[in-house]
Amino acid sequence: GELIVLLIIVFYVIPYAIISLLVSESALIQISPRLAQLEKATPLFASAIGMVQPLCIVTLQQLLPPIFMAITRMEGLASFSEVQMKVF
């Protein structure tokens, strides 16, 4: 179980970096010329484009604790407090 957690931690960096690169404001504008036009048109839309990357990163961060909790349950820990101690 601890090896699996270690692998998830190590391989977490790679998806995190990929998401950061692919959904950054500059990458989204480069990919779609229409987004570039809309960004120049209204400041509200420019702000919305800037919020895509943080939202994706927060979503990824919210996925990890449930995965770690499932792994610690597979290890056979009986109490919820033991599981939380392993996760956090």
Side-chain angles (χ1 to χ4, degrees):
E2 290 180 12
L3 177 63
I4 294 172
V5 172
L6 180 64
L7 289 174
I8 288 175
I9 291 171
V10 169
F11 290 112
Y12 168 74
V13 173
I14 295 169
Y16 188 88
I18 290 171
I19 287 174
S20 294
L21 289 172
L22 291 179
V23 296
S24 68
E25 188 174 353
S26 60
L28 291 174
I29 291 171
Q30 271 184 335
I31 291 170
S32 174
R34 178 72 176 143
L35 286 179
Q37 291 172 350
L38 290 172
E39 181 199 28
K40 291 176 186 172
T42 63
L44 179 65
F45 199 79
S47 296
I49 292 174
M51 292 302 295
V52 171
Q53 182 183 27
L55 287 173
C56 290
I57 291 172
V58 166
T59 302
L60 182 63
Q61 289 174 344
Q62 293 299 315
L63 291 174
L64 282 182
I67 292 170
F68 288 152
M69 289 181 85
I71 291 170
T72 55
R73 284 191 195 116
M74 287 189 301
E75 286 179 352
L77 296 176
S79 71
F80 184 70
S81 60
E82 287 178 333
V83 170
Q84 279 191 328
M85 192 167 29
K86 284 275 193 166
V87 171
F88 300 106

